[in-house]
Every structure is written in C-alpha cells, then in structure tokens.
Amino acid sequence: MRHLMSPLDFSVEELETLLNLAGDIEKHPEKYAHACEGKKLATLFYEPSTRTRLSFEAAMMNLGGTVLGFSSANSSSASKGESVSDTVRVVSGYADIIAMRHPKEGAPYAAARKLSVPIINAGDGGHNHPTQTLTDLMTIRREKGKLDNLTIGMCGDLKFGRTVHSLIKAMSRYENINFIMISPEELRLPDYIIKDVFEKKNIKYKNVRTMEEVMPELDILYMTRVQKERFFNEADYIRLKDSFILDERKLVDAKKDLCIMHPLPRVNEISTKVDDDPRACYFKQALYGKYVRMALIMTLLGVSADEDR
Ligand code: CP
C-alpha cells in the first residue's frame, strides 16, 4: 500500500507511467468507466477547495466508484475537537482511499501513520500540493511536449504558494531546467527550497522583480495568487496582493509558444483579457487535473482498465 504525500514520492519513471495512463484516460474514457466499481473515495477537506475536491470526486465517479466526505472543518467533528488521526482512522473503515486537505503543514503525514488505506495529500498549508504538481506536469508535457530543457518563470507568492514549492521539487529532477523567480522581496521562495533544491542540485535560478524583464526568455509562465489565508496581517496582504498583474501588454515580447499556467483560483493576477490568448493554458490545466487524479486513484488502488481485468 502506498500514499502520496510529496511530489517526490513517485520516481521519474513511475511519473512517466502515470502521465501516460492519464493521457490514455483522456483519449479513451470509456475504457476506464468501471475500473473502480465498488470502491469509495473519501474527501476530507479542512480547507476550502473547488478544483481539487471536485476533480477528485469527478475522477472517482468517472471510474465507476462513489464518494463521501466533508468540505470544511466546521461541518465535521473536527469542530468538536476530534484529532485528524482519529478522523482518518475512522474514515478508513468507510472508504478505500482518502484525499485530505489541511491548513497545517504535515497533517496528512501524521494521519498516514498506521493507516490501512492509501491517503493522498491534497494540499497541506504552505508546504506541498502533490496532485496539483501531477496536474502541472501533465499540462507541461501536453503543451510543450517535454519536461526538460525549459525556462520556467514563477510569479507571485513564492513564499506561501505550495503549488510552486511542489512543482520546483518535481521539475528539479529533469534536465536543464532554468528557474526564474518573480516576486516582491517579502514573498520570495523559502530558504529551505533554495538550499535543498537549487543549491544542492546545482540548478540555475535567479530572482527578479518584474515579469517584463524576463518575458522573452520564458517557455512557461506560472502565475500564482497571493495567499491571503496564510498572512498574519491584513495590511501586508493588501499592500502585496496586486504586485503582479499579467495583461495583454506584458505579453507583447513573450514567445509565441509561451505556456501561461496558474493553479487557480485567480483573483486579479491575470487579466480576463488574457483568457482568449492561445497561450493561456490555465483552464485546460484544471481539466487535466481530473485525468491525472483518475490515473492516481487507479495507481494507488492497483486497479486496471476494464478490458485488462
Ligand atoms: N488549485 C487548487 O488547489 O485549487 P482549489 O483550491 O480550488 O482546490
């Protein structure tokens, strides 16, 4: 039995297999319509979500399985003081696989101990968001045709943005990735990622203050929202929230095949006028999230396509 806690839990070869499966599910959904018949997914979300929770639920339903769960701590017995490990232990008697989001870094790791069913980290505080990373890897591979030899600009809240932290760790395993960090001083990438990933692996990176100065270099521009919920004081959030707004004007010098990504939700950081630009990939990215989560559920449950059973 396996869990998914970190973007590094799968080897590069295993990721390749998983992304190939996601691609086949996208092309031939009918082959997988009964793969999880009789299985249940529990979604335990202690923090708000639209894409992750609903794409997990859609994924399980598309595989012929069923779903149960809660979408906020307030609607669960956490509001009465129940611990995460007790909740997960109980739910493991009701479901075959669990996806959990929690505002505290490490909560899913603690929950995974002694657990008899697979658990997936669906986002833990400002730490990791491995299934968003799977979504991002599928998007990059689909849009760029490769996962190596790319210049990736990451823009916005690099301090609290768990999708950024997870994607950097995952992309650091591919050849010749050049990272450009675009953020205000206060929202720069945490030191531990610079030391543990960039410095340890001798990976090229630089910090810049504007997206305009690096736009012509980028193959991928990964925009992020300033994470209001992780700020200690509202004045700082208000000062920083509109630090970067991508609009048509800023794309004038961009490559014709730039891939603009965003894990969503978007607040102001991408003008809606960019949505019709063929380089805008963020809504496709959200859709790929469903296919890759179908592939993940199948992999962790060890089930195969209908015709192979
Ligand atoms: N990208 C993402 O995690 O979105 P949600 O918060 O809506 O799940």
Side-chain angles (χ1 to χ4, degrees), residues 72-291:
S72 73
N74 286 344
S75 63
S76 77
S77 285
S79 62
K80 302 176 205 161
E82 185 170 51
S83 70
V84 168
S85 37
D86 280 2
T87 301
V88 165
R89 193 164 174 175
V90 169
V91 172
S92 68
Y94 308 152
D96 302 285
I97 184 166
I98 295 172
M100 189 177 97
R101 170 171 289 188
H102 201 282
K104 284 214 178 93
E105 286 81 2
Y109 293 78
R113 270 189 255 133
K114 296 191 193 158
L115 200 61
S116 56
V117 302
I119 181 165
I120 299 164
N121 176 3
D124 62 324
H127 188 217
N128 277 323
H129 193 344
T131 65
Q132 180 65 46
T133 302
L134 297 178
T135 302
D136 297 342
L137 294 179
M138 182 170 179
T139 307
I140 295 170
R141 209 173 73 145
R142 279 293 307 270
E143 299 303 317
K144 305 304 294 179
K146 59 184 182 180
L147 287 167
D148 52 12
N149 295 300
L150 294 165
T151 296
I152 305 177
M154 297 187 145
C155 179
D157 185 349
L158 310 185
K159 180 177 180 184
F160 297 117
R162 59 192 171 197
T163 64
V164 168
H165 304 164
S166 285
L167 185 57
I168 287 174
K169 290 174 200 167
M171 291 304 294
S172 72
R173 299 193 293 184
Y174 297 92
E175 290 296 313
N176 195 25
I177 301 295
N178 181 20
F179 290 99
I180 302 181
M181 301 292 140
I182 311 159
S183 73
E185 192 75 40
E186 296 96 321
L187 296 179
R188 281 203 176 165
L189 203 61
D191 278 346
Y192 81 90
I193 296 182
I194 293 174
K195 287 200 177 79
D196 292 353
V197 184
F198 292 157
E199 290 178 2
K200 203 182 251 177
K201 296 184 161 186
N202 215 7
I203 290 171
K204 280 181 276 177
Y205 80 98
K206 65 180 173 185
N207 291 304
V208 298
R209 279 304 318 273
T210 67
M211 60 177 103
E212 291 92 319
E213 66 195 274
V214 292
M215 193 62 88
E217 299 173 47
L218 302 180
D219 299 304
I220 292 165
L221 174 57
Y222 195 93
M223 296 296 297
T224 61
R225 170 180 71 91
V226 175
Q227 305 270 304
K228 182 179 183 185
E229 62 276 30
R230 317 249 179 255
F231 275 74
F232 294 112
N233 104 44
E234 193 169 357
D236 283 347
Y237 170 71
I238 289 168
R239 183 168 52 81
L240 293 167
K241 72 184 171 74
D242 290 329
S243 297
F244 298 100
I245 299 177
L246 179 66
D247 56 24
E248 296 153 298
R249 200 175 39 83
K250 294 194 179 113
L251 285 168
V252 166
D253 292 329
K255 288 184 180 171
K256 295 280 170 276
D257 63 348
L258 172 70
C259 173
I260 305 167
M261 297 172 65
H262 191 311
L264 304 178
R266 154 178 65 184
V267 185
N268 280 330
E269 54 283 350
I270 303 181
S271 158
T272 53
K273 295 208 174 108
V274 175
D275 296 356
D276 294 328
D277 188 306
R279 294 169 290 188
C281 295
Y282 29 93
F283 289 112
K284 277 191 269 183
Q285 188 181 350
L287 179 61
Y288 296 146
K290 181 180 71 172
Y291 302 122

